[in-house]
Amino acid sequence: MVTSHEDAKKAYADFEKKVKRTIYIDHLSPQVTSSVLKAALAQCANVVDVEFIVNYTIPYDIPSAALVELDDEIQAKAALDLMNDFPFIIGGMPRPVRATCAKPDMFRERPPRPDIKKEFRWVKQEDGTEYEGMKKLRILAKRQEAENMALIKNQLEEEKELAKQQQELLDGNYKKYDMLENVVQNGNMKSLAQHYGRLVDVLISYFEEEKLT
């Protein structure tokens, strides 16, 4: 009969396999979604699941990092090689993302590790040096939170401006292609080809004469 301890060991073994086929990607733009990540990695891997890591220290839902589960370890290695060997940009800011192997502690939901007992306790004022150390850490955390907020606000402004520029560029390209398509459909392409064809013939004749002289 299978015991609860054996079940726990099997659950953690399955979790470790999942970790090995998962990669951690950060430096992601807030504009990046699960579908964007799947499309970006489609050339080397099949994305099974995407879990964005939420930054709870700021009042914005900004996905700056994600755990991406792939089919197997081979695909995970191929994706890591692709992103580490070449500058790999996924939407948003024109900066390459960073990728590394996932680690168990990165997962929000993970089974408890078998044969390990954890103990927790509150640090009180009478604990002396431990209490003072935690107090200093709390002050430092608040200072870092304020600095982080300033950086996040600046990043949001840059992302918004970049998204606007990219949309304007896309709109401009669309208008160009639309104009070319209209030229082809209304028959003006033939007259343009004849006009520029004669111009090319004139230029060729000119350069041939220059060579002879």
Side-chain angles (χ1 to χ4, degrees):
M1 183 175 178
V2 179
T3 65
S4 58
H5 179 68
E6 291 174 342
D7 288 340
K9 290 179 68 175
K10 182 180 182 304
Y12 197 81
D14 292 340
F15 171 69
E16 286 183 318
K17 292 179 181 178
K18 177 181 178 180
V19 173
K20 290 179 180 179
R21 62 176 181 264
T22 302
I23 60 176
Y24 170 82
I25 305 176
D26 68 356
H27 275 193
L28 288 172
S29 162
Q31 311 295 331
V32 171
T33 61
S34 298
S35 59
V36 171
L37 279 172
K38 289 179 181 179
L41 297 176
Q43 55 186 302
C44 64
N46 177 54
V47 176
V48 176
D49 184 50
V50 176
E51 179 185 349
F52 287 105
I53 299 177
V54 181
N55 188 347
Y56 293 102
T57 64
I58 58 176
Y60 305 107
D61 185 16
I62 300 177
S64 59
L67 291 167
V68 182
E69 181 184 355
L70 307 174
D71 276 342
D72 50 44
E73 291 183 51
I74 297 176
Q75 291 189 5
K77 185 180 183 303
L80 287 174
D81 290 341
L82 176 65
M83 286 183 276
N84 291 327
D85 291 345
F86 306 97
F88 198 81
I89 298 173
I90 304 179
M93 294 291 288
R95 64 182 174 210
V97 298
R98 298 185 305 183
T100 185
C101 298
K103 297 180 180 179
D105 293 341
M106 294 177 176
F107 291 79
R108 182 168 46 187
E109 295 182 3
R110 57 184 183 272
R113 193 182 185 94
D115 304 321
I116 291 183
K117 184 179 179 181
K118 297 181 180 179
E119 294 183 357
F120 303 91
R121 69 181 180 88
W122 291 102
V123 178
K124 301 178 181 180
Q125 191 168 359
E126 53 265 26
D127 290 329
T129 55
E130 288 187 12
Y131 177 80
E132 291 299 322
M134 292 301 299
K135 188 176 179 180
K136 291 179 180 178
L137 286 175
R138 186 174 62 178
I139 295 172
L140 180 61
K142 287 184 177 180
R143 185 188 308 162
Q144 290 178 339
E145 180 182 355
E147 295 174 352
N148 190 35
M149 280 295 299
L151 291 173
I152 289 295
K153 288 181 179 179
N154 183 61
Q155 180 184 348
L156 284 174
E157 292 174 358
E158 290 181 352
E159 292 284 350
K160 186 177 180 180
E161 181 62 27
L162 180 62
K164 180 181 176 182
Q165 293 175 6
Q166 289 176 337
Q167 189 61 50
E168 290 175 351
L169 181 61
L170 287 174
D171 292 341
N173 289 335
Y174 174 78
K175 289 179 180 179
K176 292 177 183 177
Y177 287 120
D178 186 54
M179 181 182 66
L180 289 173
E181 185 177 358
N182 290 333
V183 169
V184 173
Q185 290 180 352
N186 60 25
N188 289 334
M189 178 60 76
K190 292 182 179 179
S191 59
L192 287 172
Q194 292 174 356
H195 172 74
Y196 286 107
R198 287 195 296 268
L199 179 61
V200 170
D201 290 339
V202 171
L203 289 173
I204 291 174
S205 299
Y206 172 77
F207 283 115
E208 286 179 349
E209 291 177 1
E210 288 292 319
K211 287 181 180 178
L212 292 174
T213 56

